[in-house]
Amino acid sequence: MKNKKLIIGGGSILLLLVVILTGGSIYMFDVSLKTKVTPTDEADSYTYLFEHPYMEHWVDSLRNHSALRDTFIIAEDGAKLHALYVKSPLQSPNTALIIHGYTDNAIRMLMIGHLYNHELGYNILLPDLRAHGKSEGEYIQMGWKDRLDVIRWIDVAKEMYGDSTRMVIHGISMGAATTVMTSGEHLPENIKCFVEDCGYTSVWDEFAYKLKTEYGLPAFPLLYTTSLYCQLKKRWNFKEASAYKQIEKCTLPMFFIHGDKDTYVPTWMVYPLYEAKQGDKELWVVPGVEHAAAYWDYTDDYVQKTKNFVGKYIQ
């Protein structure tokens, strides 16, 4: 009888742990990946952008000439995806595909659009990743599934700007991780180089870091079970979503940018990515800069260094 009570008691505890862990996994999944898009995002994004007067002047100029436009595509799974685009007034053969970060949108990347379109005379295309901006989707893909959408946007850029357009992909934060993840795929010859600004090594590493720093929790067991839940629900898991593994396959030049005070995507992550990258590459660790702030804190240097790097591969 005593042993039977122990077995029943042990089973109850185990069941309780399973229930708690399951609930915790669903909670972590939803908090981390469920869309946070609201109807005010577009207005708020322009308010953020227009804190810098030259951006408001440029965007107003684009609007006055009907140059800032929207385009939509339908993905293979039926999702409606959105992007902003601006053609170069110079009919340039060069194009920048610009990828935003976690919970951001295309509007909030228009400062990089200004760099390429206004400063360098490129065509620009700025997609809203799934579950961001005007693109459909209930869950954020952390760059992993987004890399496949980026490949589709490359085709769209070719349709817009010509089959021979020469392209750079430039991403910040999750957009940088998306850029690196894309770099490991078989890409058309149009792609000449990449710029990644403060991307993470993998979704697993980033979430493990967040669990530790924000909640004081180890990766085991919650990250394992949440990754498994993601695999069951969305058909991808946190370990396979690896920028590090993808960059090992990258054969094109890449410019790495990271602030040395970044505590959101910690600075250490740039070093294994840089070391794993074979071939042409450059690294700029920006002093005193926090996450995704290198452009705003060092605008002139950012523009010049990007121009110098990209200009080596896109004439």
Side-chain angles (χ1 to χ4, degrees):
M1 182 65 69
K2 184 177 180 180
N3 289 339
K4 186 176 181 180
K5 289 182 178 180
L6 287 173
I7 292 171
I8 293 173
S12 298
I13 292 172
L14 180 60
L15 179 60
L16 179 61
L17 289 174
V18 169
V19 170
I20 292 172
L21 197 53
T22 300
S25 300
I26 295 172
Y27 175 79
M28 180 182 173
F29 178 83
D30 283 346
V31 165
S32 302
L33 300 180
K34 197 162 188 178
T35 181
K36 300 171 179 63
V37 171
T38 68
T40 61
D41 280 356
E42 183 170 342
D44 290 346
S45 295
Y46 277 117
T47 298
Y48 158 81
L49 195 68
F50 293 165
E51 290 177 3
H52 308 272
Y54 74 95
M55 288 302 308
E56 185 170 11
H57 175 76
W58 180 60
V59 170
D60 284 345
S61 177
L62 293 176
R63 288 170 170 168
N64 289 338
H65 292 86
S66 300
L68 180 61
R69 300 184 177 186
D70 300 279
T71 188
F72 293 88
I73 60 172
I74 304 299
E76 289 186 2
D77 64 354
K80 188 177 182 180
L81 305 180
H82 167 262
L84 293 173
Y85 72 97
V86 181
K87 293 184 178 180
S88 170
L90 306 176
Q91 294 186 329
S92 173
N94 304 327
T95 300
L97 181 56
I98 301 167
I99 314 298
H100 67 76
Y102 181 77
T103 70
D104 272 354
N105 54 42
I107 296 168
R108 290 170 65 96
M109 285 293 283
L110 277 170
M111 76 287 192
I112 305 301
H114 182 273
L115 187 166
Y116 284 101
N117 184 259
H118 182 79
E119 299 284 350
L120 303 183
Y122 280 35
N123 308 298
I124 56 173
L125 179 64
L126 304 95
D128 281 327
L129 300 181
R130 289 176 187 246
H132 295 81
K134 294 180 181 179
S135 287
E136 293 181 346
E138 186 178 1
Y139 292 99
I140 297 168
Q141 305 295 314
M142 296 303 293
W144 185 238
K145 294 296 185 180
D146 297 309
R147 80 194 194 284
L148 304 178
D149 291 331
V150 169
I151 294 172
R152 177 69 183 93
W153 284 115
I154 293 170
D155 291 336
V156 172
K158 291 169 63 178
E159 293 167 8
M160 286 181 169
Y161 305 128
D163 285 341
S164 62
T165 190
R166 300 168 299 196
M167 300 178 65
V168 54
I169 303 179
H170 187 137
I172 294 181
S173 190
M174 187 181 78
T178 305
T179 296
V180 177
M181 291 171 181
T182 304
S183 77
E185 299 298 316
H186 180 70
L187 300 174
E189 292 183 358
N190 305 77
I191 305 301
K192 303 301 182 183
C193 59
F194 305 93
V195 180
E196 79 87 26
D197 181 348
C198 62
Y200 39 80
T201 48
S202 69
V203 175
W204 181 274
D205 289 345
E206 179 63 13
F207 282 173
Y209 170 77
K210 288 296 182 184
L211 270 178
K212 182 178 181 180
T213 57
E214 295 185 10
Y215 300 97
L217 295 174
F220 183 82
L222 185 58
L223 192 58
Y224 288 80
T225 54
T226 307
S227 180
L228 176 60
Y229 181 75
C230 185
Q231 178 70 56
L232 295 173
K233 189 173 182 68
K234 302 305 297 182
R235 299 296 185 264
W236 64 275
N237 63 72
F238 300 162
K239 286 197 171 182
E240 74 172 306
S242 172
Y244 181 84
K245 291 179 181 177
Q246 288 291 97
I247 207 169
E248 291 181 317
K249 299 183 286 183
C250 176
T251 60
L252 296 173
M254 187 171 296
F255 183 26
F256 299 81
I257 303 170
H258 218 111
D260 75 349
K261 300 299 182 185
D262 195 338
T263 57
Y264 190 83
V265 175
T267 307
W268 68 260
M269 289 191 179
V270 73
Y271 296 110
L273 289 174
Y274 182 75
E275 291 300 322
K277 172 70 179 77
Q278 300 299 308
D280 292 352
K281 58 186 176 180
E282 290 184 20
L283 171 63
W284 180 30
V285 178
V286 193
V289 169
E290 297 180 356
H291 184 66
Y295 174 86
W296 296 120
D297 290 356
Y298 287 83
T299 303
D300 291 343
D301 289 340
Y302 196 107
V303 171
Q304 192 59 50
K305 288 179 181 292
T306 301
K307 179 179 179 180
N308 291 345
F309 180 82
V310 174
K312 295 178 185 178
Y313 310 103
I314 302 180
Q315 301 297 325

